[in-house]
Amino acid sequence: LPTALRFGVVVDLFKEASQQWISTLQITRLNDADEQYNLGTEYVLNNMFAARAGYKFAYDQENFTGGFGVKLNSLGLNSSVDYGYNHFTYLPGTHSFTLEVQF
């Protein structure tokens, strides 16, 4: 059976009441492939807007990612909207949209 070992670290690079900047590193070791490395960062402004970027090392086709998110709490809704983009070397990139609503 395929198994994977993952190790990750999250670091607060900058944190104040109105803004936050974090960075992540993840190392994945699959039992049938070489190690893969993911490096990412996220900047959050006023706990409402988020900008994200990342890079995937040692992947066959994937390399950089990016996206943003918006919390809709100011509209009286306990929800958020997120967009993400994943770039591929030979195929078109993928776009993903998420709408999260909490009751």
Side-chain angles (χ1 to χ4, degrees):
L1 295 173
T3 58
L5 175 64
R6 290 185 174 92
F7 175 77
V9 177
V10 177
V11 177
D12 285 322
L13 299 174
F14 183 79
K15 190 170 186 176
E16 286 186 353
S18 64
Q19 54 187 342
Q20 178 182 7
W21 183 22
I22 64 172
S23 182
T24 63
L25 171 66
Q26 177 180 305
I27 301 170
T28 304
R29 174 67 168 118
L30 303 171
N31 68 343
D32 58 350
D34 293 333
E35 287 87 12
Q36 296 174 328
Y37 305 93
N38 301 326
L39 183 63
T41 187
E42 177 184 56
Y43 177 76
V44 180
L45 181 63
N46 293 328
N47 199 24
M48 181 183 270
F49 302 104
R52 302 175 185 103
Y55 199 86
K56 298 178 177 186
F57 298 92
Y59 281 70
D60 291 337
Q61 300 296 321
E62 302 173 74
N63 46 32
F64 69 87
T65 61
F68 63 88
V70 177
K71 289 189 178 180
L72 304 174
N73 296 344
S74 64
L75 300 175
L77 301 170
N78 192 9
S79 60
S80 63
V81 175
D82 288 300
Y83 166 77
Y85 176 75
N86 191 11
H87 183 265
F88 291 89
T89 305
Y90 300 110
L91 298 172
T94 59
H95 303 270
S96 61
F97 298 91
T98 304
L99 173 63
E100 179 182 333
V101 179
Q102 297 179 2
F103 298 100

